[in-house]
Amino acid sequence: MTAELVRGQNHPLSQSRLEIRISAGTPIVAAATLGDEQGRIHGVEWVAHPGTPTLPGLEVSRQAAADHRLAVDLDAMPEAVHRVSVLLALPTGAGCPSRFGTVATPFVAVTGLDGNEVASYTITGLEAESAVVALELYRRQDAWKVRAIGQGYAGGLADLFTDQGLSQAQQLAGSINEAVDQGMARSVPAPPPRTDGDRSRQTAAPALGPDQGGPAPQGTSCPGSQPTSPYGPQTSGAPGQPTPPPSYQGGAGATDPAQPSAPTSGGPINYSHPGRQTAAPPPPPPTAPPAQPGQPAQPVAGDATGWSMDERLYNQVWGMFEDLARTTAAYRSAVDFADSRMDKELDQVLSDPRSRIGGQGDAAREAAQAKHAQLVNQARATLDRDIAQLTAESEVVEPALPHAYARWDNPVWHGYRVPMEIPMALRLGDLHLPESDRLRIPMLVRLPLERGLWIDSGSSGSLDGSYTDSHDLRRLAMETAAAHAARLLAVYPAGEFTVHVIDPAGSGAQELAPLVQNGVLAAPPAVGAAGVAEVLARLTQRVDLVQMAVRGGAPDSLPPDFDTSEQLLIVNDFPHGFDDRAVNQLRYLADEGPAVGVHLMMVADREEAAAYGPLLDPLWRSLMRLTPTPDDHLADPWVGHAWTYEPPLVPPGSQVLQHVLAQVAAARAKYR
């Protein structure tokens, strides 16, 4: 799997023989420098460039090109080399672009010899720079890693080499530019594109000189730039210029849609089928108002691909999640890089006894700290900019969310009506990161649920320490479970979702009151050991029946009165009231139930079930753990952030839950 790096992020390298592929869309110069443990270049002999393309363990391209492949053998690197920096620069010839802001964004990929990408980096944010350190391979404790750098220099290669401590920076930059110019002079410009369908020779027009609008002599123009035709200027339809293919229209002269259109005036044949649909999902219909110069575009709700508004909003929400994860990862990596760089600089100063005497050490320490603060402040400014943009998008998206995605305080619930179809996802809470505490991203999971839910009522407390009493946590956990069950009932069509409750000691009667009083449960909550056994036996039998019917290829053979709706079992105060048989049945439902529409919601403290030992470990692992208070226990597998989860509780004093459940009960009564 390819690691898509952002600026400052690193990734381990498991292979020693690598290939670095560069794609820029316009001819650029590729070079590489070898550095010691502090990143210093010991001389021009430590730089691989078009004039000297080969060094031990390293080979670069010999001339400027739009695509490069650099060969790297880390095992062949000298012992003194601890860092390999990949450099990109724009040629200095006439007609060449002078800054990266006017060309396509460069893309760099590190691949193995088999061609599989290990890591990639798209160098964004370049404007006036004409040279850039794209990435670096560095050795740390006998292991090699790659880090995305993206550090640009407006002064070109001379400034870049000077910043890396090379005393002959100006001379080396000049020699590289001279080698590139010589390569350009030796290169043969590409001929104009052949446009004659019968490959017949075209009649040449008199060639024009440079002062007449003709081509410049070889070696003075940028390689790969659009060449002027040696046949002089062309007009549409004339030889040497392609003619647009004819359109399929009726009337005189119309062509048969089943046949490829014939070329006209020497144009190419169009083999595309005019009636074939090859389009991707339609783009979002809303369009943002035009942005002011220098200002970001205004966000729009539903600004993502999808076949419906719900799908577009779902994709947009997860796009916001990925953007926040990416920009936070870049900030944290930049801070780590700044810390590492400051530590190296301080170690370098303190390792010399002469620098520890007098004010030289203090000056070096202050300079290192100033560089560190500059890097951190720059990274923080970028993070704040991205967070501000995401916050503006969240303020637009949140009010537009449908019932299944909306918070309980969203006004959309005041106009709630029982839906006619199942939504694609459900909101289980909010997520945020410490760097963006005020930005909340909805936590959406696809329906039907693929895993059961576990509302942890343990006494671990909350992040801010506001809930430490076990009784309060149990009450809050049951309120959270009731809110989740009410939302599931609200987003499913009438008769498509059924809720069962096991409350052996009756301790959740107050929190379950809205569900019980509105009559939306399949039956009153089961209490005592007998109630536990009866509910578990009924649901276990249901799972067995559906599995046998599906495996036997006879799903229509189920009993006529069989309830085909999705089933949810809420279990409170586990393991109170459960014997060994009931525990095994519960594990069976957790493992086999989701595949046949039986889902589990546990409200329990794992410590209270510790007497069962490892027997229940598979049960806890099969459930998605949620908490009744904010907790940072959720980690995404993408970048490994620890996200803080907040449950979707009903606002205090709000009657929205009673209003929604009343609508659900009325629809269920009509359905029956």
Side-chain angles (χ1 to χ4, degrees):
M1 182 177 180
T2 305
E4 298 180 0
L5 305 180
V6 295
R7 182 172 298 175
Q9 188 177 2
N10 57 42
H11 185 75
L13 297 174
S14 59
Q15 305 178 50
S16 60
R17 302 185 65 184
L18 303 168
E19 189 174 70
I20 299 177
R21 301 183 179 183
I22 302 167
S23 177
T26 190
I28 60 173
V29 180
T33 61
L34 305 180
D36 58 14
E37 196 167 1
Q38 285 74 35
R40 294 176 300 183
I41 306 174
H42 288 193
V44 295
E45 65 275 6
W46 281 39
V47 181
H49 56 84
T52 308
T54 304
L55 293 179
L58 179 64
E59 184 176 1
V60 302
S61 303
R62 296 178 179 270
Q63 61 183 16
D67 297 290
H68 293 270
R69 292 193 177 188
L70 282 60
V72 179
D73 188 352
L74 299 176
D75 290 340
M77 290 290 171
E79 289 294 330
V81 174
H82 288 262
R83 188 174 303 179
V84 181
S85 299
V86 178
L87 320 178
L88 307 179
L90 295 172
T92 57
C96 297
S98 60
R99 57 191 184 94
F100 275 107
T102 61
V103 300
T105 302
F107 174 80
V108 185
V110 180
T111 71
L113 295 183
D114 55 0
N116 293 328
E117 289 189 4
V118 179
S120 63
Y121 174 40
T122 303
I123 311 173
T124 59
L126 299 178
E127 290 294 339
E129 298 86 346
S130 58
V132 60
V133 180
L135 51 80
E136 66 177 12
L137 314 178
Y138 64 97
R139 181 172 12 208
R140 182 72 54 83
Q141 297 178 351
D142 296 330
W144 285 89
K145 295 184 178 182
V146 57
R147 177 187 287 125
I149 302 296
Q151 177 64 52
Y153 297 85
L157 288 173
D159 284 3
L160 189 154
F161 291 137
T162 301
D163 187 58
Q164 292 195 351
L166 189 62
S167 57
Q168 307 97 327
Q170 293 288 347
Q171 296 87 335
L172 179 58
S175 64
I176 293 177
N177 293 328
E178 181 180 355
V180 172
D181 290 341
Q182 292 176 359
M184 293 161 50
R186 291 191 302 267
S187 63
V188 178
R194 182 186 297 273
T195 58
D196 53 324
D198 57 357
R199 299 179 182 266
S200 61
R201 186 184 302 275
Q202 302 294 331
T203 303
L208 302 178
D211 58 339
Q212 298 173 297
Q218 293 183 14
T220 61
S221 63
C222 187
S225 59
Q226 187 65 28
T228 306
S229 171
Y231 304 110
Q234 305 287 339
T235 58
S236 179
Q241 179 75 12
T243 301
S247 58
Y248 294 105
Q249 297 178 353
T255 59
D256 183 3
Q259 300 294 332
S261 58
T264 60
S265 303
I269 298 176
N270 181 11
Y271 288 98
S272 61
H273 195 289
R276 181 169 297 154
Q277 291 286 347
T278 58
T287 57
Q292 299 296 328
Q295 298 294 328
Q298 297 297 320
V300 173
D303 189 15
T305 59
W307 295 101
S308 65
M309 188 62 177
D310 286 1
E311 184 178 357
R312 290 195 292 269
L313 287 170
Y314 174 85
N315 292 333
Q316 186 174 12
V317 166
W318 278 109
M320 294 165 57
F321 173 85
E322 293 176 357
D323 289 344
L324 181 57
R326 184 182 297 109
T327 189
T328 304
Y331 168 74
R332 293 180 180 179
S333 296
V335 172
D336 292 342
F337 173 72
D339 293 340
S340 175
R341 177 174 177 175
M342 183 177 66
D343 292 341
K344 288 183 179 179
E345 292 177 351
L346 293 178
D347 290 342
Q348 181 180 356
V349 172
L350 297 178
S351 62
D352 188 356
R354 295 172 297 179
S355 63
R356 296 198 296 266
I357 302 175
Q360 184 178 0
D362 295 337
R365 185 179 297 105
E366 292 177 359
Q369 292 173 349
K371 291 181 181 178
H372 175 273
Q374 180 182 5
L375 289 174
V376 172
N377 292 337
Q378 183 179 359
R380 185 70 211 192
T382 303
L383 176 66
D384 291 341
R385 180 201 63 196
D386 293 342
I387 289 177
Q389 180 69 14
L390 288 172
T391 301
E393 186 175 7
S394 176
E395 292 173 352
V396 173
V397 170
E398 192 69 48
L401 295 178
H403 302 97
Y405 304 170
R407 289 196 299 253
W408 285 112
D409 58 357
N410 194 313
V412 71
W413 287 107
H414 297 300
Y416 169 75
R417 294 293 183 271
V418 177
M420 300 299 294
E421 58 183 13
I422 302 174
M424 68 179 300
L426 179 80
R427 186 173 190 158
L428 290 182
D430 293 333
L431 300 172
H432 69 88
L433 293 170
E435 290 84 356
S436 54
D437 187 63
R438 291 181 293 179
L439 177 60
R440 299 295 190 272
I441 305 296
M443 179 182 173
L444 304 180
V445 297
R446 297 296 294 266
L447 290 179
L449 296 174
E450 297 179 358
R451 299 174 60 189
L453 304 178
W454 167 29
I455 314 300
D456 191 357
S457 61
S459 58
S460 58
S462 58
L463 287 178
D464 57 3
S466 57
Y467 286 91
T468 57
D469 183 78
S470 60
H471 177 74
D472 290 341
L473 282 174
R474 292 173 185 272
R475 174 186 56 79
L476 199 58
M478 201 60 208
E479 288 181 0
T480 303
H484 285 308
R487 182 181 291 268
L488 284 165
L489 286 166
V491 302
Y492 272 82
E496 294 293 329
F497 199 82
T498 304
V499 178
H500 310 265
V501 177
I502 291 178
D503 188 18
S507 59
Q510 181 179 353
E511 292 75 22
L512 293 170
L515 300 175
V516 176
Q517 293 172 1
N518 285 282
V520 295
L521 298 179
V527 296
V532 172
E534 191 273 332
V535 173
L536 290 177
R538 187 169 68 250
L539 291 178
T540 302
Q541 183 183 18
R542 172 192 172 86
V543 173
D544 292 338
L545 284 174
V546 176
Q547 283 186 340
M548 286 189 294
V550 172
R551 292 171 181 172
D556 297 334
S557 62
L558 293 170
D561 58 346
F562 188 83
D563 184 9
T564 58
S565 65
E566 299 278 322
Q567 308 286 312
L568 175 67
L569 173 60
I570 303 176
V571 178
N572 186 31
D573 274 350
F574 177 81
H576 181 77
F578 282 73
D579 55 17
D580 292 343
R581 176 181 174 82
V583 169
N584 289 329
Q585 289 176 322
L586 193 67
R587 286 187 53 188
Y588 177 73
L589 292 178
D591 294 338
E592 305 293 337
V596 294
V598 178
H599 311 283
L600 191 61
M601 183 185 297
M602 298 275 293
V603 183
D605 179 4
R606 186 171 183 174
E607 295 298 326
E608 294 185 353
Y612 287 93
L615 177 65
L616 292 181
D617 287 348
L619 172 65
W620 304 119
R621 287 195 298 266
S622 67
L623 304 176
M624 178 186 297
R625 177 176 176 257
L626 304 176
T627 55
T629 59
D631 190 78
D632 59 351
H633 66 282
L634 292 178
D636 65 88
W638 186 33
V639 291
H641 292 325
W643 292 79
T644 298
Y645 166 80
E646 292 185 0
L649 296 177
V650 180
S654 174
Q655 298 299 314
V656 62
L657 196 63
Q658 286 75 7
H659 167 72
V660 170
L661 291 177
Q663 296 280 347
V664 172
R668 288 169 61 91
K670 293 180 181 179
Y671 176 79
R672 293 172 183 172

